[in-house]
Amino acid sequence: MTPNKEDYIKAIYELGGEQNVVSNKNLVKALSVSAASVTEMNGRLLKENLLTHTPYQGVKLTEEGLRIANKLIRKHRLWEVFLSEKLGYDWNEVHADADLLEHVSSDALIERLDFFLGEPKFDPHGGVIPNKDGTIEKVNHIPLVDIEVGTPLIIKEVDDQQEFLEYLLHKDVQLGKQYTLKNIEAYEGPLTLETPEGNETIISHKAAFKILVTEVL
């Protein structure tokens, strides 16, 4: 399993390839490679029974392909926890170095890292860390955009794209913090969040799709 194969499998997963067919066009865009490279890698992974292929539509991960994807994500997210908790990285800084480290980490190293970190369940962005066997526990988080005005909530997970994380830092939106959704402007306008102390922050409607929360009962 080369780094190129690992990146390809993870890209399919991130594009929804656990449940949906992913087109070659989307893979070309996500990986910044040529269409010919995507076609060639499709062929390799099909021979290894890591993908299924639907003619004229794209590819989807097999059960074994999904297991490998989740093990890669486990490595990546554990390194993100380490970089954040032990080396003081901000949550918008951890992704690039974790990407490098995941490819050079043996399973034995990852299990020692997991033990050293106290077996964390979530990464710095709230993403669930898959189990050792490549399975992942489901969570019932709700997109912020689906919450009703007046509802108290806790932010549980955010999209881990660097530009978006920098946006949230600027807005002082924090993981694990309680807010109340105070207002939503008409016609898909911005949302206003209020802290228990009465401080307000305004985020875009588009951003609200990338923030997952739980309601405070």
Side-chain angles (χ1 to χ4, degrees):
M1 187 58 61
T2 65
N4 281 343
K5 287 182 180 179
E6 291 177 341
D7 283 340
Y8 193 89
I9 288 171
K10 195 165 73 168
I12 294 172
Y13 177 88
E14 291 172 346
L15 289 168
E18 175 183 1
Q19 298 177 330
N20 304 311
V21 173
V22 177
S23 70
N24 285 13
K25 181 179 179 180
N26 285 339
L27 284 169
V28 166
K29 183 178 179 180
L31 293 165
S32 299
V33 296
S34 68
S37 295
V38 167
T39 300
E40 180 182 0
M41 186 62 79
N42 275 346
R44 292 181 186 177
L45 297 180
L46 281 165
K47 288 179 180 178
E48 296 178 26
N49 296 315
L50 301 178
L51 300 179
T52 59
H53 179 256
T54 302
Y56 308 108
Q57 294 186 39
V59 295
K60 182 179 176 182
L61 292 172
T62 63
E63 185 174 332
E64 177 62 14
L66 178 60
R67 187 186 69 82
I68 290 173
N70 280 335
K71 290 188 74 172
L72 286 168
I73 292 167
R74 173 177 171 79
K75 291 180 178 182
H76 182 92
R77 291 181 175 176
L78 283 171
W79 278 121
E80 287 190 330
V81 173
F82 175 81
L83 294 170
S84 174
E85 291 188 358
K86 305 303 179 182
L87 299 186
Y89 281 54
D90 283 334
W91 68 352
N92 60 315
E93 299 174 326
V94 296
H95 184 79
D97 284 348
D99 249 352
L100 297 173
L101 290 164
E102 72 185 53
H103 294 304
V104 295
S105 302
S106 67
D107 290 344
L109 172 58
I110 289 302
E111 295 321 306
R112 292 195 178 199
L113 179 64
D114 183 43
F115 178 78
F116 173 72
L117 293 171
E119 301 180 347
K121 300 299 182 185
F122 302 95
D123 73 9
H125 315 111
V128 177
I129 297 175
N131 299 317
K132 180 180 179 180
D133 62 1
T135 60
I136 188 166
E137 297 177 14
K138 301 299 182 182
V139 293
N140 296 316
H141 297 161
I142 307 167
L144 177 58
V145 73
D146 293 336
I147 298 294
E148 293 185 2
V149 172
T151 303
L153 57 92
I154 295 176
I155 295 179
K156 290 292 189 178
E157 183 178 354
V158 299
D159 191 292
D160 67 352
Q161 294 179 338
Q162 182 175 349
E163 184 177 344
F164 182 63
L165 293 170
E166 290 172 353
Y167 169 82
L168 294 182
L169 280 174
H170 175 70
K171 294 290 185 177
D172 195 29
V173 173
Q174 300 176 31
L175 205 68
K177 191 169 182 178
Q178 182 171 329
Y179 298 87
T180 296
L181 181 56
K182 187 175 181 180
N183 185 52
I184 303 176
E185 290 289 335
Y187 301 105
E188 298 185 348
L191 292 77
T192 302
L193 296 175
E194 183 179 51
T195 69
E197 297 78 27
N199 299 318
E200 294 183 359
T201 187
I202 298 174
I203 63 170
S204 71
H205 191 84
K206 182 179 179 180
F209 283 95
K210 300 180 180 182
I211 299 174
L212 302 180
V213 306
T214 57
E215 297 182 5
V216 177
L217 302 177

